[in-house]
């Protein structure tokens, strides 16, 4: 079990949801995402995450959003892939944008980590951050 925080989002305020995280294993060749309530993930698996971006600014153009993923250990960044552009080209509603990604855990040693996701609205020059504590075994 885990606590779920429901933020008090003011209308029009840029923010992101909690992180929804699961584990992808290739056991049986299915590659299905399994929820890990224990927040423990096998080194030979991949972590998949999803967050929702609320109230991205836009005018007549698409919002200009970027995602930065970091893996932290002991407060220090140990993995920081390049910043990614959040695709919004096919969307018509920018009040609630889904952003998801995944990465392999094989390069991490056994221990405790923090997944940190920062979404930046480049137009508004503002960011929102969420973190997820997890362990690799």
């Amino acid at each position: 079990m885990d606590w779920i925080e429901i933020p008090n989002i003011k209308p029009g305020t840029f923010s992101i949801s909690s992180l929804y995280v699961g584990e992808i294993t290739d056991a049986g060749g299915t590659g299905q995402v399994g929820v890990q309530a224990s927040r423990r993930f096998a080194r030979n698996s991949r972590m998949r995450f999803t967050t929702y971006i609320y109230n991205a600014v836009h005018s007549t153009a698409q919002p200009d959003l970027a995602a930065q993923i970091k893996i932290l250990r002991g407060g220090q960044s140990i993995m920081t892939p390049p910043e990614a552009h959040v695709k919004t080209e096919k969307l018509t509603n920018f009040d609630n944008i889904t952003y998801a990604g995944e990465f392999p855990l094989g390069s991490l040693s056994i221990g405790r980590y923090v997944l940190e996701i920062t979404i930046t609205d480049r137009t508004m020059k503002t960011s929102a951050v969420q973190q997820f504590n997890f362990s690799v075994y």
Side-chain angles (χ1 to χ4, degrees):
M1 296 182 70
D2 200 4
W3 288 100
I4 297 175
E5 290 186 32
I6 301 173
N8 184 12
I9 300 172
K10 295 178 184 174
T13 302
F14 180 75
S15 59
I16 62 175
S17 71
S18 297
L19 297 173
Y20 303 95
V21 180
E23 181 178 42
I24 300 173
T25 60
D26 290 325
T30 61
Q32 292 186 0
V33 179
V35 176
Q36 290 295 349
S38 67
R39 296 182 177 224
R40 294 184 64 222
F41 297 83
R43 283 190 71 220
N44 64 347
S45 68
R46 295 185 319 268
M47 178 182 280
R48 176 143 177 95
F49 64 87
T50 303
T51 189
Y52 297 92
I53 305 165
Y54 300 113
N55 303 313
V57 164
H58 62 88
S59 55
T60 57
Q62 302 291 321
D64 186 10
L65 303 172
Q68 179 65 65
I69 301 165
K70 290 183 183 178
I71 302 295
L72 308 169
R73 186 169 193 181
Q76 300 295 316
S77 178
I78 61 164
M79 183 187 301
T80 306
E83 187 175 77
H85 174 71
V86 177
K87 296 179 182 180
T88 60
E89 291 79 12
K90 295 182 181 180
L91 302 177
T92 57
N93 179 359
F94 304 110
D95 294 333
N96 181 353
I97 300 168
T98 303
Y99 180 72
E102 68 180 59
F103 55 91
L105 299 173
S107 65
L108 301 178
S109 58
I110 294 171
R112 294 183 178 165
Y113 297 90
V114 176
L115 167 64
E116 180 179 277
I117 308 287
T118 303
I119 305 292
T120 301
D121 185 323
R122 293 176 178 158
T123 304
M124 265 183 17
K125 296 182 174 53
T126 189
S127 298
V129 179
Q130 284 289 353
Q131 293 186 330
F132 178 83
N133 297 308
F134 69 100
S135 297
V136 173
Y137 68 92

